[in-house]
Amino acid sequence: MTLKNLQNIWRAPKYLPYLQPQLTNEILENAESQIGFKLPHELVEILKFQNGGYLRYKLPESPHEIINGIGPYFPSLINFDWEESKEYVSFELDGLIPLDGDGHWYICLDYRENKKSPKISFIDIECDHQDVIANSFKEYLELLELDVENELVIETKNSIEELARQLENILEITFEEPNYFNSGYANYRSAYKEKWLWLTPNKVPQGFVREDDKRYDELKDQMDIFSLQYPEINENALFLELSEESLNDELVKKLREHDIKVTLLTEIMGQKSALTEQLTQWHNADKHTKIIQALEALPEADLNYELTNLLGRAYNNNSDYDKAITALLSQDEKGAEDPLWNFRMGYAYYHKFEKDNALPYFQKSVLLGDATAVNYLKWCEDDQKPSAIQTKSTRTLDNVAWVFSSKFYHDTEEFNQEVIEYQKRIYKTDELWKPNEIVSEVSELQIQYTAWIIKPTDLLENETLTDDDKNIFEEYPDEKEHQVEILAILKADNGKNFTALEFLLKTHQQQVNKELGDHVFFEGTDENLKIINGLPTYYILCGS
């Protein structure tokens, strides 16, 4: 999987006894102090979305299915002891932090060679064996594959109970009473030609806990919210799985003879992946109208949670905020615990100048770990203070639209004309773009922005890393890319001040040779101007 879909790594329903409390900076700092190592950035981001549990993804040819969270409950990253295992192996165990394992084998963060950048290793206590799986946690993520079996997907408006009765008649089988114990949702089982056949739903509880669990009374209320096993497909879809895959073709033929629409899950997921890749390309190319046209043309049944979220994002990026809100609200039940869904709702209301409505969505997004929402939350909260009515915002160019790209501009007027055209496309007018307006009364300043870089030479001559990131190449030498905070010194052409045009152009040119991920849309600067290294420093805000 890629770094851009980390939040989709967790399986639904989540097994609530394995879920740790919401990860905070304080909990993280205490955990790192206890284990003696700094955890990989990508692992921390995953645990911010959900602090431990079962994965939707698998590591090929491995029993791995869990990432331990940080907290007091079993299993936990911080509660392990190698003492009893040391007598059974010939290799060093200190410096290994288990991500998953059953006492006989473990998948570990391996700090034995590098105390700042761990490898991922597999160890087998019983067989006295060890293997390196990946040279970094990021490389490990890239090895994970979506766990998709050769299940059959049935698209129907019938309930699972109604379809079970229908299948009994068609296939001449009898389903047992549904079992809820193993997964928290209805699992129908029947014998079919001396093999097993299971019928299960896509729409399931967001989490489950068994009645005999000692924490049942504490956790049971969390089972009332619903989620999807596969958010990529329709929520009403039902799954058929055979213990003997060679019977799939025969089963498909029988069902289609009775006008039941059935498709292999692997085939559907392949089609969805191709569509998502195309939408991503259009998004990166700022072709939001194409995204809208493609998604609006889909049958309503195919417009699942993931695609509706992308449609809402495209509406937002086209400044059609009412349509964004309508689209996103159609998925409010599933989006309630999704930081991106909450951010996009807040974003739409914020740009409609309805900050009171935006505020709770930004609050929830921040609570769920979305750093992009932090500044928006602050602006909404500041707007509610009595002094905010009289105080002019110190954000720079916060009402100007622009998208950063890899194009370097050699002509200032060409850049100015493209900014004008972009304002017209987004706002239907360019009246807010005032290129000659003085936005900073200094001859020299710094901008700070976030980017992905591969090596130190990716930094331009006028750039340095912030203090927190200065040693990142030494600390994480095995990482292929590094997400960093960059400081860039800009000097005014006239030696006195910066116009809006000069500020935006020079900010754009700094980022041309950098990877910004999804966050390429300029949203002004942080209103809290800081002095860093003796220079006024503007933090460049970018959205997706």
Side-chain angles (χ1 to χ4, degrees):
M1 66 182 303
T2 66
L3 297 179
K4 296 192 173 67
N5 57 1
L6 290 180
Q7 70 190 80
N8 295 321
I9 197 171
W10 300 109
R11 186 191 304 176
K14 51 192 172 189
Y15 183 52
L16 296 172
Y18 281 9
L19 182 64
Q20 306 288 353
Q22 180 72 37
L23 184 62
T24 64
N25 289 335
E26 182 180 3
I27 291 174
L28 176 62
E29 289 172 5
N30 288 337
E32 291 179 332
S33 175
Q34 182 174 334
I35 65 177
F37 302 104
K38 189 174 179 63
L39 296 174
H41 167 74
E42 296 84 3
L43 174 59
V44 172
E45 290 302 306
I46 288 171
L47 297 180
K48 284 180 180 178
F49 287 117
Q50 180 179 313
N51 197 359
Y54 286 93
L55 304 174
R56 292 180 70 210
Y57 290 74
K58 63 183 178 181
L59 195 60
E61 300 180 2
S62 165
H64 179 36
E65 59 179 353
I66 290 173
I67 289 182
N68 296 334
I70 299 172
Y73 308 117
F74 174 86
S76 174
L77 272 170
I78 57 175
N79 294 330
F80 65 93
D81 187 349
W82 290 123
E83 286 306 313
E84 292 185 6
S85 300
K86 288 182 178 179
E87 63 178 292
Y88 299 106
V89 296
S90 59
F91 49 85
E92 181 65 53
L93 292 176
D94 292 331
L96 295 173
I97 311 298
L99 292 170
D100 189 8
D102 67 354
H104 306 286
W105 62 268
Y106 294 92
I107 303 282
C108 300
L109 296 168
D110 187 348
Y111 290 92
R112 292 175 298 180
E113 291 183 7
N114 188 324
K115 298 186 183 304
K116 294 183 178 180
S117 180
K119 295 179 179 179
I120 306 299
S121 293
F122 172 85
I123 65 168
D124 189 322
I125 301 296
E126 289 188 339
C127 298
D128 189 17
H129 176 75
Q130 62 177 332
D131 273 321
V132 174
I133 295 172
N135 290 317
S136 67
F137 190 81
K138 181 181 176 183
E139 185 177 302
Y140 149 83
L141 289 176
E142 293 168 352
L143 295 175
L144 295 180
E145 299 176 357
L146 190 62
D147 191 4
V148 179
E149 303 295 339
N150 284 323
E151 295 174 272
L152 301 173
V153 179
I154 295 179
E155 298 183 36
T156 176
K157 294 182 180 179
N158 293 336
S159 66
I160 191 170
E161 295 83 5
E162 292 168 334
L163 183 64
R165 303 289 82 82
Q166 190 177 5
L167 293 177
E168 285 180 330
N169 292 329
I170 295 171
L171 303 176
E172 298 179 350
I173 61 175
T174 301
F175 281 109
E176 300 170 353
E177 286 297 311
N179 182 314
Y180 291 81
F181 181 81
N182 289 330
S183 51
Y185 55 85
N187 190 322
Y188 288 79
R189 187 178 76 160
S190 173
Y192 178 74
K193 294 197 172 183
E194 300 182 351
K195 303 297 180 182
W196 288 115
L197 180 150
W198 294 274
L199 174 65
T200 55
N202 190 29
K203 186 176 181 180
V204 297
Q206 189 179 76
F208 86 100
V209 56
R210 298 185 179 100
E211 290 187 14
D212 60 356
D213 192 284
K214 62 183 180 181
R215 297 177 62 207
Y216 177 77
D217 289 335
E218 171 196 346
L219 300 171
K220 63 182 180 180
D221 291 342
Q222 297 185 49
M223 294 190 290
D224 295 336
I225 302 172
F226 285 90
S227 185
L228 299 180
Q229 293 193 70
Y230 293 95
E232 297 86 355
I233 64 178
N234 188 279
E235 68 175 44
N236 295 320
L238 300 171
F239 303 121
L240 270 181
E241 184 177 0
L242 280 157
S243 59
E244 181 55 63
E245 292 181 7
S246 62
L247 293 172
N248 275 349
D249 290 343
E250 174 188 318
L251 194 62
V252 169
K253 182 179 179 181
K254 281 189 177 183
L255 296 179
R256 287 177 177 171
E257 286 173 352
H258 289 79
D259 297 323
I260 293 179
K261 187 176 180 181
V262 57
T263 313
L264 273 172
L265 178 59
T266 50
E267 182 180 329
I268 293 177
M269 295 300 289
Q271 294 170 349
K272 298 295 182 183
S273 297
L275 174 59
T276 302
E277 178 62 29
Q278 178 62 79
L279 297 176
T280 300
Q281 291 176 9
W282 283 334
H283 175 75
N284 293 338
D286 192 29
K287 297 180 179 179
H288 307 296
T289 300
K290 281 187 173 290
I291 296 173
I292 292 169
Q293 290 170 343
L295 294 179
E296 286 183 340
L298 290 177
E300 185 176 347
D302 289 347
L303 201 59
N304 59 29
Y305 175 70
E306 179 188 21
L307 296 180
T308 302
N309 251 306
L310 297 180
L311 179 60
R313 180 180 70 176
Y315 282 138
N316 271 339
N317 288 328
N318 260 16
S319 303
D320 202 338
Y321 304 118
D322 287 324
K323 285 189 176 180
I325 291 168
T326 300
L328 293 168
L329 281 177
S330 71
Q331 303 288 342
D332 59 342
E333 184 177 320
K334 303 182 194 68
E337 301 301 316
D338 182 346
L340 274 178
W341 182 89
N342 280 280
F343 175 78
R344 287 163 184 162
M345 282 294 299
Y347 185 95
Y349 278 121
Y350 181 89
H351 287 280
K352 283 189 68 188
F353 304 103
E354 296 180 19
K355 295 183 180 180
D356 287 346
N357 289 330
L359 181 62
Y361 292 107
F362 287 138
Q363 288 172 330
K364 188 62 177 286
S365 185
V366 170
L367 181 64
L368 294 169
D370 189 344
T372 310
V374 171
N375 283 301
Y376 281 94
L377 174 59
K378 185 179 186 306
W379 299 329
C380 290
E381 289 174 338
D382 287 349
D383 209 48
Q384 293 187 334
K385 299 175 183 178
S387 60
I389 299 174
Q390 291 85 26
T391 304
K392 182 180 179 181
S393 170
T394 57
R395 291 173 64 200
T396 302
L397 302 180
D398 60 320
N399 56 1
V400 171
W402 183 242
V403 58
F404 294 116
S405 68
S406 59
K407 180 177 179 179
F408 188 90
Y409 290 88
H410 297 278
D411 182 79
T412 302
E413 187 51 37
E414 179 192 4
F415 177 78
N416 184 42
Q417 288 303 314
E418 292 200 16
V419 174
I420 290 171
E421 292 304 314
Y422 195 74
Q423 307 314 300
K424 291 178 180 178
R425 189 172 358 143
I426 299 301
Y427 295 133
K428 316 307 178 189
T429 176
D430 65 343
E431 64 182 17
L432 295 175
W433 172 239
K434 299 178 174 59
N436 297 317
E437 179 183 20
I438 304 300
V439 296
S440 182
E441 291 282 2
V442 296
S443 61
E444 189 173 346
L445 56 81
Q446 279 185 140
I447 60 169
Q448 180 178 343
Y449 67 95
T450 304
W452 292 85
I453 61 176
I454 298 174
K455 52 190 182 300
T457 52
D458 288 340
L459 297 173
L460 302 179
E461 289 185 2
N462 63 331
E463 291 182 333
T464 60
L465 297 179
T466 60
D467 289 341
D468 288 342
D469 289 336
K470 275 187 176 178
N471 298 318
I472 197 164
F473 294 100
E474 291 78 20
E475 292 177 358
Y476 303 103
D478 296 326
E479 294 284 345
K480 294 178 182 177
E481 290 183 299
H482 302 269
Q483 187 178 29
V484 294
E485 293 290 329
I486 298 173
L487 295 170
I489 297 175
L490 306 182
K491 296 182 179 181
D493 291 340
N494 62 8
K496 297 178 181 178
N497 49 40
F498 285 82
T499 64
L501 176 58
E502 184 179 1
F503 182 89
L504 186 57
L505 174 58
K506 289 186 173 180
T507 297
H508 175 95
Q509 308 285 54
Q510 288 299 136
Q511 305 185 56
V512 163
N513 73 323
K514 310 293 195 311
E515 170 60 48
L516 304 182
D518 286 340
H519 293 77
V520 295
F521 296 95
F522 177 68
E523 295 178 349
T525 68
D526 190 337
E527 60 186 296
N528 295 315
L529 190 66
K530 295 181 180 179
I531 303 298
I532 300 178
N533 300 328
L535 289 175
T537 303
Y538 295 80
Y539 191 90
I540 305 301
L541 300 170
C542 290
S544 60

